[in-house]
């Protein structure tokens, strides 16, 4: 049963933590091989599910310690048709795995009695490479592509869907239109380069404004992910009314560019405490920032630093 599909708590200003860089944590810290940067195949074995459970529990414990809610993002960023085909999974396999991932998170939520609220999000990624706008789609093509995975989520306990690391407005618009038709609240997270622009050159503020204009403002909110705060802080400081539409940040630990991260053979985990202080500054710039987590190179230490810097200390 969905808990918050019609009433997302983060929209009321409640602060929720979320997880960190799932795939980079699994590859560099857990020593796992993830072809195509896909975590969803772990759902296919008891051992894989236990790895994922340990990962999520570490983050839920931070929320429990700081008295915040949590957004549980499904490990399904690559679990769509094109990426699934690359890994040998057809639509029937992917439907089953997406359903199982949400059921897995629902079970985790049931055991996280000390964390409230816990929102379950069906996570989807770009059709192509998130660092490059290499899959030129119209909004209509993006809607048709992403409607399949969003439809799978609509039949589960997912409270919402979130699309991460999108690099074009057309894909963001398509995701939102598909989610609206499926009756799911939707969040779009754009990624930016070191100049604060989307990989296709669009300014962040212009991308958010255009997406809203083409969808009637239907997204619950927007996020920025897979970039260090230094890469987009100037864009925020120069922004205006569109800043109110940013409800979440999942930043990278590293200041490296996307191209440099693609070539990196070692994990650049940056400085967790410094990143935590960066988030405190972002909260002063973004009046509706309610969801905080990490992306590439971050792990539970970074999320804990964010909480330490941003969550008011509870009275003893």
């Amino acid at each position: 049963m969905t808990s918050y599909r019609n009433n997302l708590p983060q929209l009321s200003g409640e602060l929720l933590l979320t997880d960190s860089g799932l795939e980079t944590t699994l590859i560099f810290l857990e020593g796992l091989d993830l072809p195509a940067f896909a975590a969803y195949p772990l759902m296919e074995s008891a051992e894989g599910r236990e790895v994922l459970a340990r990962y999520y529990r570490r983050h839920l414990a931070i929320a429990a310690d700081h008295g915040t809610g949590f957004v549980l993002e499904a490990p399904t960023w690559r679990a769509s048709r094109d990426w699934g085909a690359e890994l040998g999974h057809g639509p029937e396999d992917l439907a089953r795995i997406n359903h199982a991932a949400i059921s897995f998170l629902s079970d985790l939520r049931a055991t996280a009695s000390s964390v409230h609220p816990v929102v379950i999000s069906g996570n989807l990624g770009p059709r192509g490479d998130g660092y490059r706008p290499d899959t030129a789609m119209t909004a209509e093509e993006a809607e048709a592509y992403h409607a399949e995975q969003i439809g799978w989520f609509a039949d589960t306990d997912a409270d919402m869907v979130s699309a991460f690391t999108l690099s074009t407005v057309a894909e963001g618009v398509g995701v939102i239109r598909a989610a609206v038709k499926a009756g799911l609240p939707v969040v779009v997270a754009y990624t930016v380069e070191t100049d604060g622009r989307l990989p296709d050159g669009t300014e962040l503020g212009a991308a958010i404004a255009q997406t809203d204009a083409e969808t009637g403002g239907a997204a619950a909110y927007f996020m920025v992910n897979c970039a260090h705060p230094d890469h987009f802080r100037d864009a925020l400081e120069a922004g205006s009314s569109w800043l109110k539409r940013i409800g979440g940040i999942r930043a990278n630990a590293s200041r490296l560019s996307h191209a440099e991260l693609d070539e990196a053979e070692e994990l650049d985990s940056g400085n967790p405490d410094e990143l935590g202080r960066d988030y405190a500054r972002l909260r002063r710039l973004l009046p509706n920032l309610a969801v905080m987590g990490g992306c590439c190179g971050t792990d539970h230490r970074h999320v804990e630093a964010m909480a330490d810097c941003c969550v008011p200390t509870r009275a003893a």
Side-chain angles (χ1 to χ4, degrees), residues 228-230 233 251-253 255 271-285 289 309-310:
H228 190 275
D230 283 0
R233 188 181 296 108
N252 286 349
R255 289 181 171 84
N271 183 315
D273 292 336
E274 182 182 63
L275 190 62
R277 292 190 293 272
D278 284 334
Y279 271 66
R281 288 192 286 271
L282 291 173
R283 288 203 80 196
R284 293 192 287 270
L285 291 171
L289 180 58
C309 291
C310 298

Side-chain angles (χ1 to χ4, degrees), residues 66-92:
H66 290 81
T68 73
F70 199 85
V71 178
L72 276 172
E73 289 285 351
T76 49
W77 186 65
R78 289 297 203 208
S80 61
R81 181 178 288 253
D82 285 6
W83 290 103
E86 185 172 323
L87 294 170
H89 295 120
E92 290 185 2

